[in-house]
Amino acid sequence: MSFPSRPTGAQALIRSLELAGTEVVFGIPGGAILPAYDPLLDSPIRHVLMRHEQGAGHAAEGYAHATGRAGVCFATSGPGGCNLVTALADALMDSIPVVAVTGQVPTGVIGNDAFQEADITGVTMSVTKHNWLVTRTEDIPAAVAEAFHVATTGRPGPVLVDVPKDVLIGTAPFEWPDGVDLPGYRPTTKGNLKQVREAVKLILASERPVVYAGGGVIRANAAAELRRLAETGRLPVVTTLMARGAFPDDHELSLGMPGMHGNYTAVTAMQRADLLVAIGARFDDRVTGNLATFAPHAKVIHVDIDPAEIGKNRAADVPIVGDAADVTASLARELERAQGAAGGSPDRKAWLSTLDDWRRRFPYRYTQDDGPIKPQFVVERIHAATDGDATIVSGVGQHQMWASQFYRFSRPRQWINSGGLGTMGFAVPAALGAKMGRPDQRVVAIDGDGCFQMTSQELATSTTENIPIVVAIVNNGHLGMVRQWQELFYNERYSGVALTQDVPDYVRLAEAYGAIGLRAESPHEVDAVLDKALSVTDRSVVIDFRCDPREMVFPMVPAGGSNDDIILGPECTEPALDPAEAPIA
């Protein structure tokens, strides 16, 4: 079908999305957005009909996580747009490029409390990088082009384009802009070479350096540059929850995940470091614990494309604004030159030997006997069954931490989760989005029973849209992380956390949605159930793993406490190092 010289706004919208590179849209139609659904029938863009707008937003996030490209979602006015808010807030916290398009009531009745009216640009102002209310049909192409540009450049994030129904119905000449000119929006991508050289001086002078890699490394596709920097300078690397996979877990310089539930070596290495090279990380409270006691001996090099992050929580001795890939590559080049002139890299043997000793003495621990299934065992067996090559998506809570701890990640974009906002219900729709973005990949959602029940209706989407995933439910009959806190910090006074392992019946629920339901009730059944689940490729599989409700996540740094007060848990028989006496070289 030829494109008309004066298309409707709806035709212009879909054509603009095509020109912006959109392959798939996740959404739910409604009155105000309905005109945009008609030209979708003539477009190569695939529409995935979700069962809730929050699911559409999370699916767009999952697509963006997995591909690095902007995820796109549609919703109608009023409640439809409002249901996107959680996903947009989630994407903003984790720097995920999402373009949301919402319908709006006609311009003539905006402000009149019309049916299904909500000031969605006002509602979403604080949870988007930017948003647009398009009031003229001829402005649609420019608004879409700008939206994709803002979402995917600088620090990525969500944007929203709100289009009234009469603007979608109206006609106007179509003109796709040659470029985008947004005065005041000029992200700095190239790092200042003088600052880079100052950072190299600190690296060369340090005895106990640690590279603190954050989610910005993933967003900038900077994993190769990070590895080059680490290997050039013999620099140990911690990868935050949002950076898992940015540096392979099996690398000799990998220390794994720091933070509230990070491993002892990663947490303590940062505490004892004399230099932190922070790349795309924001010094959030889940990593630092009490800021006043965090890494007290360390100077800080802070690399971030968002200048607002530098110095926000921790002062930087050498701040470098720029794209993580560009700056990290510059750091590696300048470090190579400086070390060449100096005759080699500094001697890191003592520091690396200390870290190796800590890794040996304080690994993640759990004991799987013939009793109830341990969640850690489930994750380890998923890793083994998938040969460590699956895309893992998690919900939020204990299962999220166990997945990050016990699945060994080897590449970027292999791990997808809700880090900053901590959104329950994220896993299932995000896994569908990830599978749409990477259909060649096996996608496994590791979810909790509480999280799963928030968005389980998206199994219907999986079946009707033929998007097969595996959902592994860590079913402990509780809101597990909340229960853990109540056990540790509220004298075991459990309030509002008890679910039940039997309601709903997850096997029958899966079957009702057209998926396959499986269950494992003992550790001896885990491998066989996983083998069966992974042999299915034409539909989704839901596995109900009946897990020990008493199991807790360790190590743990109490909220607001110092990282020096890390709790190793009952499985560790060796006491943690005394902060005043722990060796630092």
Side-chain angles (χ1 to χ4, degrees):
M1 181 182 292
S2 61
F3 193 67
S5 60
R6 286 182 62 88
T8 65
Q11 291 172 318
L13 172 65
I14 300 306
R15 181 61 178 152
S16 296
L17 291 174
E18 293 172 1
L19 292 172
T22 304
E23 298 174 330
V24 59
V25 169
F26 305 92
I28 299 179
I33 193 70
L34 199 57
Y37 272 76
D38 184 67
L40 265 177
L41 292 173
D42 304 313
S43 172
I45 295 173
R46 178 176 173 181
H47 180 266
V48 174
L49 177 61
M50 305 298 291
R51 297 311 191 260
H52 193 284
E53 289 88 357
Q54 181 181 343
H58 290 325
E61 286 188 273
Y63 178 93
H65 268 280
T67 66
R69 302 189 296 273
V72 182
C73 54
F74 275 10
T76 197
S77 63
C82 289
N83 282 343
L84 287 177
V85 169
T86 298
L88 293 174
D90 189 276
L92 187 70
M93 288 284 278
D94 288 345
S95 303
I96 308 302
V98 169
V99 176
V101 179
T102 52
Q104 184 54 273
V105 299
T107 53
V109 294
I110 290 178
N112 287 0
D113 294 332
F115 177 66
Q116 289 193 332
E117 180 187 1
D119 176 15
I120 201 63
T121 54
V123 169
T124 61
M125 186 174 295
S126 64
V127 295
T128 54
K129 275 187 76 175
H130 193 66
N131 59 33
W132 292 256
L133 173 61
V134 184
T135 56
R136 301 192 310 166
T137 301
E138 57 265 37
D139 293 338
I140 288 175
V144 171
E146 291 171 3
F148 275 83
H149 179 72
V150 172
T152 58
T153 58
R155 180 178 183 174
V159 298
L160 181 140
V161 180
D162 193 36
V163 191
K165 188 172 185 178
D166 59 314
V167 176
L168 289 171
I169 294 172
T171 62
F174 181 88
E175 183 177 353
W176 182 250
D178 294 330
V180 173
D181 182 24
L182 295 173
Y185 181 70
R186 297 284 188 274
T188 299
T189 58
K190 298 291 184 181
N192 183 286
L193 185 57
K194 180 181 177 182
Q195 292 298 89
V196 168
R197 288 172 175 163
E198 287 299 313
V200 167
K201 290 178 184 178
L202 285 186
I203 293 172
L204 292 173
S206 66
E207 296 180 357
R208 303 182 305 279
V210 173
V211 176
Y212 167 23
V217 174
I218 304 283
R219 306 293 164 258
N221 298 312
E225 291 80 0
L226 172 63
R227 183 166 184 158
R228 179 183 171 190
L229 174 64
E231 292 178 346
T232 297
R234 303 294 295 159
L235 305 172
V237 179
V238 301
T239 48
T240 67
L241 182 67
M242 294 308 301
R244 303 291 287 122
F247 196 76
D249 282 337
D250 61 0
H251 196 286
E252 62 175 347
L253 293 171
S254 174
L255 303 183
M257 185 178 72
M260 175 176 281
H261 293 293
N263 73 76
Y264 182 87
T265 302
V267 172
T268 307
M270 296 180 83
Q271 288 298 98
R272 303 293 181 272
D274 63 0
L275 176 67
L276 294 180
V277 185
I279 305 174
R282 55 191 179 88
F283 291 87
D284 67 286
D285 62 294
R286 282 301 192 260
V287 168
T288 67
N290 186 337
L291 265 172
T293 61
F294 174 66
H297 313 291
K299 292 186 177 180
V300 172
I301 299 165
H302 195 171
V303 178
D304 206 292
I305 198 164
D306 184 355
E309 288 296 344
I310 297 179
K312 184 178 77 174
N313 293 325
R314 172 72 177 254
D317 296 275
V318 180
I320 308 175
V321 178
D323 175 78
D326 175 83
V327 176
T328 307
S330 294
L331 284 169
R333 284 195 303 269
E334 292 300 317
L335 186 57
E336 285 173 353
R337 290 173 186 164
Q339 289 182 168
S345 62
D347 184 0
R348 309 278 190 216
K349 289 182 181 177
W351 178 228
L352 295 176
S353 176
T354 296
L355 298 176
D356 285 341
D357 178 60
W358 294 348
R359 275 189 286 210
R360 177 183 58 79
R361 294 165 60 192
F362 304 108
Y364 292 126
R365 298 176 189 268
Y366 75 97
T367 299
Q368 179 64 72
D369 50 26
D370 290 333
I373 300 172
K374 300 294 185 179
Q376 303 94 319
F377 181 70
V378 169
V379 177
E380 283 194 331
R381 299 319 298 163
I382 291 173
H383 181 271
T386 59
D387 294 323
D389 194 38
T391 295
I392 302 298
V393 186
S394 85
V396 170
Q398 287 179 314
H399 63 278
Q400 176 188 27
M401 297 298 105
W402 285 315
S404 180
Q405 290 177 344
F406 287 93
Y407 200 96
R408 305 284 290 171
F409 297 97
S410 58
R411 56 181 167 80
R413 304 193 185 280
Q414 187 182 6
W415 165 246
I416 297 171
N417 81 125
S418 168
L421 197 66
T423 304
M424 293 179 68
F426 175 87
V428 173
L432 297 180
K435 184 65 175 179
M436 282 297 301
R438 293 293 306 275
D440 57 313
Q441 283 286 311
R442 168 66 83 179
V443 176
V444 179
I446 299 177
D447 215 358
D449 47 334
C451 285
F452 176 76
Q453 292 185 62
M454 291 193 172
T455 51
S456 60
Q457 71 271 15
E458 299 303 347
L459 287 175
T461 301
S462 169
T463 298
T464 59
E465 298 282 349
N466 191 26
I467 311 173
I469 60 173
V470 173
V471 182
I473 302 175
V474 175
N475 180 5
N476 61 10
H478 289 82
L479 301 176
M481 189 63 82
V482 184
R483 182 193 185 281
Q484 176 168 331
W485 282 44
Q486 289 179 342
E487 179 168 341
L488 293 175
F489 308 122
Y490 290 85
N491 298 318
E492 300 183 27
R493 290 167 56 85
Y494 302 118
S495 175
V497 293
L499 303 172
T500 171
Q501 290 184 314
D502 299 308
V503 179
D505 182 325
Y506 295 108
V507 171
R508 294 172 66 187
L509 180 68
E511 292 170 349
Y513 278 123
I516 292 175
L518 303 172
R519 178 174 291 123
E521 298 185 274
S522 78
H524 307 291
E525 298 173 322
V526 170
D527 283 350
V529 165
L530 282 171
D531 287 344
K532 185 173 182 179
L534 293 170
S535 71
V536 176
T537 58
D538 64 341
R539 68 192 69 188
S540 286
V541 180
V542 176
I543 311 172
D544 176 10
F545 287 107
R546 295 294 180 94
C547 291
D548 187 348
R550 299 162 299 177
E551 194 69 12
M552 293 194 284
V553 182
F554 291 107
M556 181 179 185
V557 177
S562 169
N563 284 351
D564 287 327
D565 298 328
I566 186 170
I567 303 169
L568 291 172
E571 297 288 341
C572 187
T573 57
E574 186 168 355
L577 302 169
D578 187 325
E581 300 176 359
I584 58 174

